[in-house]
Amino acid sequence: MLDTISRGYDSFTSFLFQNGVQPLLYAFGMMEWEEDAFAWMDFIVFGVIQVLVVVAICRPLEAWRPVERWDDRRVVWTDVTYTLLARLGVLPLIAFVLLAGFQAQFDGWLTDMGWVPPTLETLIPGLDSRPLLAFALYVLIIDFGEYWRHRLQHTLPWWWALHSIHHAQEKMTFWTDDRNHVIDDVIAALWVGGLALLIGVPPGQFPLIILVMRVAESLSHANVRLSFGAIGERLLVSPRFHRFHHGVLSAGDEGRNYAVLFPVWDMIFRTGDFRRDQFPRTGDPEAPASLVHGGWWRQQVDGTRRLLGVLFGTRKRVARAVDAPGTRT
């Protein structure tokens, strides 16, 4: 099934390239860019698919049962800008491709030395004949890596200086998932792409893994009064579970609920908050106004300044002072 989906996607991309992009390149005398144009178009098409799938799933849910309603949605449109820039660039895919070239050279060197690097399918007998099980294991391992990346974003001061842009949003919607500093996105792309190559994720399956995780992350940020129940929320991250992570009392190194897909990591490492039937207001009490209300460019500039301030010792973390969580039931 996974191979069928991958072949269908490749056929669709090839059709668009041959009937849309290639004639334009020929008309403008730019055929020397044909190979590069095909690679970039592949990224863009996959990004469009991601956005369409996310909107189709999350927008009806937000309209059905929102946690909050706002008259002024300008800051939400800033998050839309983040999503279009992030997903039409598809940084994880780019990192995967770039790292794959490096890995091919590195693996060749290791082979010449007489050692073949192991992959998940070579370490687990019979896994190569069970593609769905292999896919599930890949997702599980990458999700484990994402838990630790997310936790480090909160505990390392320089990384929090970047990630705080994400938590500054007081009007959280499914668009907020991509509200990140560009440097933070690059690190995340290298992290995920590198881990996927390390465990031997096939190139045809990697886009599907990214799609699954993107949809789950967008849903968890949605402005919808939705939980998966006492048992379900210990199996999959819900919008209610992740909203606690964005609550005003969960900023910085006091964060909870770091998991992306599977709350089991928060359960194992005791960072989970499973309080029921509460939907706290979101935001970071320490965030400057520019990170809350500013546009994309202003937030990128100020995020960079905050990063440099931490790295060069000109900015110290301000003690948090919030009296009440302001929960909304």
Side-chain angles (χ1 to χ4, degrees):
M1 183 181 70
L2 296 175
D3 290 339
T4 301
I5 296 174
S6 180
R7 286 196 298 270
Y9 172 78
D10 290 340
S11 298
F12 176 69
T13 305
S14 297
F15 173 80
L16 289 181
F17 181 78
Q18 293 171 5
N19 293 276
V21 178
Q22 201 171 44
L24 289 175
L25 293 175
Y26 181 80
F28 287 96
M30 300 175 63
M31 289 301 290
E32 69 272 15
W33 295 94
E34 181 180 17
E35 185 175 343
D36 293 331
F38 182 78
W40 280 101
M41 194 203 70
D42 187 44
F43 297 144
I44 293 174
V45 169
F46 185 73
V48 171
I49 291 174
Q50 287 188 60
V51 173
L52 292 177
V53 170
V54 165
V55 171
I57 293 174
C58 297
R59 187 65 191 98
L61 289 174
E62 290 194 338
W64 166 57
R65 201 181 179 195
V67 177
E68 301 174 306
R69 297 182 186 274
W70 316 291
D71 294 328
D72 186 356
R73 297 179 62 89
R74 282 177 294 181
V75 293
V76 176
W77 281 107
T78 298
D79 288 357
V80 174
T81 301
Y82 271 100
T83 295
L84 296 179
L85 290 174
R87 302 211 180 185
L88 297 187
V90 197
L91 281 172
L93 280 174
I94 297 173
F96 185 83
V97 171
L98 294 177
L99 288 172
F102 169 78
Q103 187 197 39
Q105 295 182 0
F106 183 68
D107 287 351
W109 176 77
L110 291 177
T111 301
D112 292 339
M113 298 292 290
W115 186 69
V116 178
T119 66
L120 199 61
E121 295 187 4
T122 60
L123 291 174
I124 303 177
L127 191 61
D128 56 346
S129 62
R130 296 178 175 84
L132 290 179
L133 177 58
F135 183 83
L137 288 176
Y138 291 141
V139 171
L140 184 67
I141 293 172
I142 290 177
D143 187 59
F144 177 68
E146 284 293 86
Y147 168 86
W148 281 106
R149 179 180 68 85
H150 196 183
R151 191 165 173 178
L152 289 173
Q153 285 177 313
H154 282 250
T155 55
L156 296 179
W158 67 267
W159 212 340
W160 172 249
L162 298 174
H163 189 57
S164 58
I165 291 176
H166 182 72
H167 278 263
Q169 179 58 280
E170 297 174 349
K171 298 178 179 178
M172 191 173 74
T173 69
F174 68 91
W175 299 105
T176 305
D177 176 33
D178 292 298
R179 181 189 175 97
N180 299 303
H181 195 281
V182 170
I183 298 175
D184 203 0
D185 273 341
V186 170
I187 296 172
L190 293 173
W191 182 290
V192 175
L195 179 57
L197 288 171
L198 182 65
I199 62 177
V201 174
Q205 291 190 24
F206 185 71
L208 298 179
I209 293 174
I210 293 299
L211 179 60
V212 168
M213 301 194 74
R214 289 294 197 185
V215 171
E217 288 179 273
S218 294
L219 176 61
S220 69
H221 288 84
N223 176 36
V224 57
R225 192 177 295 274
L226 177 65
S227 74
F228 296 159
I231 297 177
E233 289 204 340
R234 284 164 172 77
L235 300 176
L236 290 173
V237 170
S238 73
R240 192 212 61 83
F241 179 84
H242 193 68
R243 192 174 180 90
F244 266 100
H245 177 71
H246 277 263
V248 293
L249 292 183
S250 186
D253 54 9
E254 299 179 27
R256 310 288 288 177
N257 297 10
Y258 294 109
V260 174
L261 279 178
F262 305 119
V264 64
W265 312 126
D266 284 301
M267 295 166 64
I268 292 173
F269 299 107
R270 299 182 180 182
T271 55
D273 187 341
F274 291 93
R275 283 179 290 176
R276 307 286 302 137
D277 300 325
Q278 295 186 34
F279 292 84
R281 61 187 177 91
T282 62
D284 175 10
E286 293 181 7
S290 61
L291 296 192
V292 180
H293 305 293
W296 181 88
W297 178 252
R298 176 69 182 277
Q299 290 174 1
Q300 296 298 303
V301 171
D302 284 5
T304 303
R305 288 173 177 168
R306 286 161 65 87
L307 170 65
L308 295 176
V310 172
L311 292 177
F312 294 100
T314 59
R315 176 181 179 272
K316 296 182 179 179
R317 183 169 177 79
V318 180
R320 300 177 66 253
V322 182
D323 296 326
T327 56
R328 300 169 184 179
T329 58

